[in-house]
């Protein structure tokens, strides 16, 4: 049994006077203990909503969540607020995209780090502060004692995200969800933060769900990858298999739009034609069909079902790419 | 922080100077000039001539202004002609100040103590019955004129029900020592509990009337601010840490939500005086608001000068305190 098992997770936003949005539409995936699983897809495909649903952080009003989220054998959906709060920050935690807005501007950094240990590890303020100092040191923040007394506006972007990672890992959670943890940062800082994350999850044995729209990040970090399109998982594979031979046309399109070291300079990357605006509802056919180069007539008439196409490999497509397409020397890892 | 305070005190001096210039110009622009203004219409020729000499009205304007300033600095604003004829204007002001401060402080306290918690709860439960009820209440608070509300309160609670005193600051027969002029405080200091209690009862109705507008404004700003803050990413971070509701409320939501509220409270102190003019009138309280309306009625420019000057200074000072409080809450202002 995997540490986290998400089954048929669906999230709908129901607003009076607005059409219902099915942001997540029957998503299932597993996160085994200690592994890193990627959740990849274009903007708006439901990555953040999925992770917020797993953390129980979606707004209560106007949100319908169904399906099942099982962490370590316990069903989370339907837990009371208290039960969530007992797990959030200790068994499971999350790092968000924008480190600047994710830190409280008027509370000293030290308190923001120590409060989570006071809450879950029963530490006094004094002990927790000492622990916070070594945590900040551990995530590579220089002069941690001084930083404890500072506020977020006094830190650089990279340091803020390091601090947020320190908070998330303070209670050694079994599961960490990182939602685009580097998108808001400079390129050079991005690499540092990613290697820090990789190091820390390896060291603490924490399972990591890494959310990104950047397959380059996936290549360097993930064991398994789930590709999300319009609220559904369209392909799930081991990282090597995925990069060696993407089977779903959307995955292949994403891969082609990743800059590679061997891309000749000046050559344009190939972004996927069209936009999510063109999608058709999954209930009608394949949502990707208006943009898909491999589309068959059946694609816009019948919704493709998930099929197992190999060990640990799932696919949702009427006309998948051949196994050997793209299986060349220049594979991506 | 220190430099900031010094700079703000400098602003206080500038505001005061500009205001004195305006007052000086105002007195000279009055029909009949400052002589009629300060002595009233029925002054004798002799006293007029004396005042012209004393004020140096035969001197060039800049000399006149300089002397005006000099007298103002020493607290000499002339003698009251209408409010309390014969008493120095400054003394009139000082005698009446405690009543207004007492009233305003109580009104503002009520507004803050009711407005902030209610605003928080209303924002938290947006669209709930308490939210709707408080919004309606705060709308009524700003829509109903203060003097009408004051009359209404007086009529219902003092005259019809007889629960609270209808006017004045303290019952006439009360055995009370007035050391500071703040009657409630006096009673507490001299352990004349009855006197303090009696003074407080006298304050309740006028303070309730006076507090409605500040309450409404503080409530609405708090509510809007809480709604904003609840949407902030750092509140989501706090929830992702599994923190208890109390910690999230006080440490993460309220502290941030208070920033605009603090500014508002400062601005409301300015608005209190205009409310006090009406409230003191209705409840017959011998405060500054009353002095202001009497001063205008009886053209007592000496008293008006002091009141206007002092009010402006209080206003600037209060806003200095507000800015400092703001900097205490918001570290981003401290390190700039
Ligand atoms: N609170 C909400 N109310 C209504 N719709 C929402 C809400 N939150 C998200 N959505 C919608 O759900 C869909 C999925 O959003 P989500 O934030 O999960 O996308 P994402 O994959 O994380 O994209 P990005 O890469 O831009 O972060 C979007 O269409 C979004 O507009
Ligand atoms: S189902 Fe059809 S349209 Fe959809 S991705 Fe596969 S081939 Fe393309
Ligand atoms: Mg997102």
């Amino acid at each position: 049994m995997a540490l986290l098992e998400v089954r048929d997770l669906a999230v709908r936003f129901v607003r009076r006077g607005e059409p219902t949005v099915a942001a997540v539409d029957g998503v299932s995936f597993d996160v085994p203990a200690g592994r890193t699983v990627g959740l990849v897809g274009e903007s708006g495909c439901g990555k953040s909503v999925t992770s917020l649903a797993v953390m129980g952080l979606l707004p209560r009003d106007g949100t319908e969540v169904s399906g099942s989220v099982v962490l370590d054998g316990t069903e989370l959906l339907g837990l009371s607020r208290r039960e969530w709060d007992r797990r959030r920050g200790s068994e499971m935690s999350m790092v968000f995209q924008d480190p600047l807005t994710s830190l409280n501007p008027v509370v000293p950094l030290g308190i923001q780090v120590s409060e989570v240990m006071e809450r879950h590890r029963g530490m006094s303020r004094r002990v927790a502060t000492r622990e916070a100092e070594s945590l900040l040191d551990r995530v590579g923040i220089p002069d941690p004692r001084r930083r404890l007394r500072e506020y977020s506006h006094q830190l650089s972007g990279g340091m803020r995200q390091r601090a947020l990672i320190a908070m998330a890992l303070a209670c050694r959670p079994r599961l960490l969800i990182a939602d685009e943890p580097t998108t808001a940062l400079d390129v050079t800082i991005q690499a540092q933060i990613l290697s820090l994350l990789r190091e820390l999850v390896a060291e603490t044995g924490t399972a990591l769900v890494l959310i990104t729209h950047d397959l380059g990040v996936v290549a360097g970090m993930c064991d398994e990858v789930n590709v999300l399109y319009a609220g559904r998982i369209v392909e799930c594979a081991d990282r090597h298999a995925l990069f060696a031979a993407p089977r779903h046309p959307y995955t292949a399109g994403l891969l082609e739009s990743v800059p590679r070291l061997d891309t000749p300079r000046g050559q344009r990357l190939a972004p996927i034609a069209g936009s999510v605006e063109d999608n058709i509802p999954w209930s009608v056919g394949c949502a990707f069909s208006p943009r898909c180069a491999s589309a068959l007539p059946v694609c816009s008439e019948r919704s493709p079902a998930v099929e197992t196409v190999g060990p640990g490999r799932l696919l949702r497509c009427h006309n998948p790419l051949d196994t050997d397409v793209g299986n060349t020397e220049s594979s991506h890892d | 922080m220190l430099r900031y305070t010094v700079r703000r005190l400098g602003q206080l001096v500038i505001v005061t100077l500009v205001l004195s210039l305006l007052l000086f110009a105002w007195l000279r622009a009055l029909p009949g000039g400052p002589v009629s203004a300060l002595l009233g219409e029925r002054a004798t020729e002799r006293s007029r001539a004396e005042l012209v000499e004393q004020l140096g009205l035969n001197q060039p304007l800049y000399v006149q202004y300089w002397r005006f300033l000099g007298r103002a600095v020493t607290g000499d604003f002339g003698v009251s002609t209408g409010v309390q004829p014969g008493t120095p204007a400054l003394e009139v002001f000082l005698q009446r100040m405690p009543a207004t401060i007492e009233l305003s402080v109580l009104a503002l306290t009520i507004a803050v103590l009711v407005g902030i918690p209610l605003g928080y709860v209303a924002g938290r439960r947006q669209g709930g019955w308490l939210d709707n009820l408080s919004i309606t209440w705060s709308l009524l608070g700003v829509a109903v004129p203060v003097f009408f509300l004051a009359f209404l309160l007086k009529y219902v609670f003092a005259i019809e029900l007889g629960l609270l005193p209808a006017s004045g600051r303290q019952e006439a027969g009360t055995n009370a020592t007035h050391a500071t002029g703040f009657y409630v405080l006096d009673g507490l200091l001299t352990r004349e509990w009855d006197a303090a209690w009696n003074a407080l009862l006298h304050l309740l109705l006028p303070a309730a009337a006076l507090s409605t507008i500040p309450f409404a404004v503080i409530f609405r700003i708090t509510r809007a601010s809480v709604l904003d803050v609840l949407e902030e990413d750092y509140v989501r971070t706090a929830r992702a840490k599994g923190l208890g509701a109390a910690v999230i409320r006080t440490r993460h939501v309220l502290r941030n939500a208070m920033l605009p509220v603090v500014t508002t409270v400062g601005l409301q102190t300015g608005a209190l005086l205009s409310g006090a003019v009406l409230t003191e009138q209705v409840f017959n309280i011998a405060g500054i608001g009353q002095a202001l309306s009497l001063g205008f009625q009886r053209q007592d420019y000496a008293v008006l000068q002091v009141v206007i000057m002092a009010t402006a200074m209080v206003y600037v000072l209060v806003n200095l305190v507000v800015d400092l409080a703001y900097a205490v809450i918001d570290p981003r202002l401290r390190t700039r």
Side-chain angles (χ1 to χ4, degrees):
Chain A
M1 192 180 58
L3 174 68
L4 177 74
E5 293 181 349
V6 178
R7 290 290 171 273
D8 291 320
L9 180 69
V11 180
R12 289 158 26 106
F13 293 106
V14 190
R15 295 277 149 80
R16 232 185 301 159
E18 280 173 46
T20 298
V21 180
V24 176
D25 193 6
V27 160
S28 305
F29 62 93
D30 284 350
V31 182
R35 304 266 283 174
T36 296
V37 173
L39 223 50
V40 192
E42 280 170 307
S43 186
C45 69
K47 305 182 295 289
S48 295
V49 173
T50 302
S51 56
L52 292 175
V54 171
M55 290 292 292
L57 290 174
L58 287 168
R60 286 188 186 182
D61 296 339
T63 313
E64 289 174 4
V65 182
S66 64
S68 149
V69 176
V70 175
L71 179 72
D72 213 5
T74 309
E75 172 64 56
L76 298 182
L77 299 186
L79 283 186
S80 68
R81 167 87 198 260
R82 283 180 86 87
E83 288 293 320
W84 273 115
D85 281 344
R86 212 162 56 74
R87 289 173 172 78
R88 284 196 288 241
S90 62
E91 288 174 30
M92 57 201 302
S93 57
M94 188 157 175
V95 174
F96 297 95
Q97 173 173 342
D98 189 346
L100 176 61
T101 58
S102 295
L103 285 171
N104 191 327
V106 305
V107 175
L109 192 64
I111 290 184
Q112 294 189 66
V113 180
S114 58
E115 65 182 357
V116 63
M117 292 182 282
E118 289 171 41
R119 166 78 176 87
H120 296 292
R121 291 167 67 181
M123 291 181 176
S124 67
R125 169 66 54 86
R126 221 163 45 90
V127 177
T129 305
R130 211 166 338 116
E131 188 74 19
E133 190 183 327
S134 66
L135 261 172
L136 290 192
D137 187 47
R138 183 67 202 85
V139 297
I141 293 180
D143 200 357
R145 176 161 301 183
R146 180 165 65 89
R147 295 297 179 189
L148 286 177
R149 273 178 275 114
E150 293 193 341
Y151 296 87
S152 65
H153 72 279
Q154 291 164 292
L155 309 178
S156 69
M159 258 196 271
R160 288 185 198 121
Q161 195 60 297
R162 284 171 192 270
L164 281 156
I165 290 172
M167 289 170 209
L169 293 177
C171 298
R172 299 188 159 246
R174 308 202 52 198
L175 176 72
L176 172 66
I177 303 180
D179 187 356
E180 316 226 17
T182 58
T183 313
L185 303 174
D186 290 347
V187 187
T188 46
I189 312 291
Q190 285 187 9
Q192 293 172 13
I193 294 291
L194 287 175
S195 69
L196 174 70
L197 262 181
R198 192 168 39 215
E199 225 174 279
L200 289 177
V201 295
E203 184 182 304
T204 54
T206 300
L208 175 65
V209 175
L210 185 68
I211 294 176
T212 176
H213 55 255
D214 184 349
L215 276 176
V217 169
V218 171
M221 300 277 297
C222 298
D223 303 310
E224 282 158 44
V225 188
N226 292 283
V227 182
L228 216 58
Y229 191 82
R232 291 196 181 183
I233 288 180
V234 294
E235 182 163 15
C236 166
D238 170 83
R239 184 232 324 191
H240 296 283
L242 190 89
F243 281 96
R247 303 270 334 259
H248 196 280
Y250 175 65
T251 315
L254 277 183
L255 271 176
E256 269 161 41
S257 61
V258 175
R260 296 160 42 159
L261 285 178
D262 54 2
T263 305
R265 273 171 162 258
Q267 181 180 319
R268 295 264 319 250
L269 297 170
I272 303 168
S275 78
V276 287
E277 311 281 301
D278 305 324
N279 289 353
I280 64 169
W282 280 112
S283 52
V284 175
C286 172
F288 186 57
S289 59
R291 303 169 69 188
C292 179
S294 318
L296 302 173
V298 65
C299 295
S300 50
E301 288 158 13
R302 209 152 48 75
S303 194
V306 180
E307 284 169 58
T308 307
V309 293
R313 182 146 203 184
L314 304 175
L315 199 57
R316 187 193 289 278
C317 182
H318 288 307
N319 187 20
L321 303 174
D322 279 343
T323 341
D324 29 86
V325 170
N327 188 5
T328 55
E329 304 273 287
S330 58
S331 70
H332 263 262
D333 32 330
Chain B
M1 198 77 166
L2 184 68
R3 256 180 50 199
Y4 183 71
T5 315
V6 169
R7 207 172 66 216
R8 293 303 306 261
L9 284 172
Q11 285 173 2
L12 178 67
V13 173
I14 292 172
V15 168
T16 317
L17 275 178
V18 169
L19 202 74
S20 69
L21 207 58
L22 288 176
L23 278 175
F24 178 77
W26 179 51
L27 280 179
R28 263 129 206 92
L30 288 168
V35 176
S36 306
L38 290 176
L39 289 182
E41 295 298 330
R42 289 186 300 270
T44 62
E45 268 316 306
R46 218 184 105 219
S47 61
R48 279 174 179 276
E50 267 173 13
L51 191 66
V52 166
E53 187 61 31
Q54 187 202 334
L55 293 180
L57 292 181
N58 35 14
Q59 309 264 346
L61 269 182
Y62 66 90
V63 177
Q64 291 185 32
Y65 176 65
W66 187 245
R67 291 176 56 173
F68 169 83
L69 262 190
R71 283 197 311 276
V73 167
T74 57
D76 176 8
F77 290 90
V79 172
S80 167
T81 54
V83 181
Q84 271 161 254
T87 317
L90 187 66
E91 207 179 307
V92 172
F93 173 80
L94 291 176
Q95 274 170 14
R96 288 166 170 267
M97 184 183 65
T100 303
I101 291 185
E102 230 171 25
L103 177 62
S104 306
V105 166
L106 185 61
L108 201 62
T109 310
I110 294 174
V112 164
L113 289 187
V114 182
I116 291 178
L118 210 57
Y120 176 81
V121 177
R124 207 54 242 266
R125 304 246 174 278
Q126 189 193 6
W129 64 268
L130 190 66
D131 188 26
N132 289 323
L133 190 75
S134 338
I135 288 182
T136 317
W137 181 15
S138 73
L139 264 178
L140 273 174
V142 280
V144 175
V146 174
F147 74 90
F148 176 69
L149 185 74
F151 266 123
L152 201 68
L153 286 175
K154 179 172 163 174
Y155 181 74
V156 174
F157 292 98
I159 296 171
E160 284 298 313
L161 298 176
L163 291 174
L164 290 163
S167 69
R169 297 183 60 194
Q170 209 164 38
E171 213 152 297
T174 312
N175 177 20
T177 323
H178 294 151
T180 62
F182 298 91
Y183 285 9
V184 179
L185 189 68
D186 283 342
L188 294 178
L189 289 177
T190 56
R191 296 170 173 265
E192 291 164 334
W193 310 122
D194 291 0
W197 180 242
N198 189 268
L200 186 65
L201 289 184
H202 276 82
L203 276 177
L204 283 184
L205 285 181
L210 187 55
S211 69
T212 48
I213 289 180
F215 155 76
V217 176
I218 290 170
F219 163 77
R220 302 205 126 220
I221 300 280
T222 308
R223 177 180 177 278
S225 171
V226 164
L227 279 176
D228 280 349
V229 171
L230 284 175
E231 293 289 306
E232 293 285 351
D233 286 351
Y234 53 78
V235 175
R236 190 181 56 187
T237 307
R239 292 206 289 137
K241 290 185 199 168
L243 301 179
V247 172
I248 295 185
R249 180 168 57 232
T250 50
R251 189 178 295 161
H252 293 286
V253 178
L254 266 180
R255 255 182 106 162
N256 283 285
M258 277 309 100
L259 291 173
V261 179
V262 165
T263 313
T264 309
V265 171
L267 291 174
Q268 286 307 308
T269 47
L272 277 175
L273 190 79
S274 50
V277 170
L278 302 163
T279 320
E280 289 179 6
Q281 198 79 325
V282 172
F283 289 96
N284 191 25
I285 295 170
I288 292 173
Q290 198 193 46
L292 204 57
S293 53
L294 280 179
F296 271 108
Q297 266 168 40
R298 304 181 185 165
Q299 307 195 330
D300 189 340
Y301 296 103
V303 168
L304 288 182
Q305 266 182 46
V306 186
V307 172
I308 292 170
M309 232 24 208
T311 312
M313 284 170 72
V314 166
Y315 195 66
V316 175
L317 272 176
V318 164
N319 280 289
L320 170 67
V321 171
V322 163
D323 285 354
L324 293 179
Y326 203 104
V328 167
I329 306 181
D330 193 342
R332 286 164 291 192
L333 291 176
R334 289 203 291 271
T335 39
R336 231 197 276 158

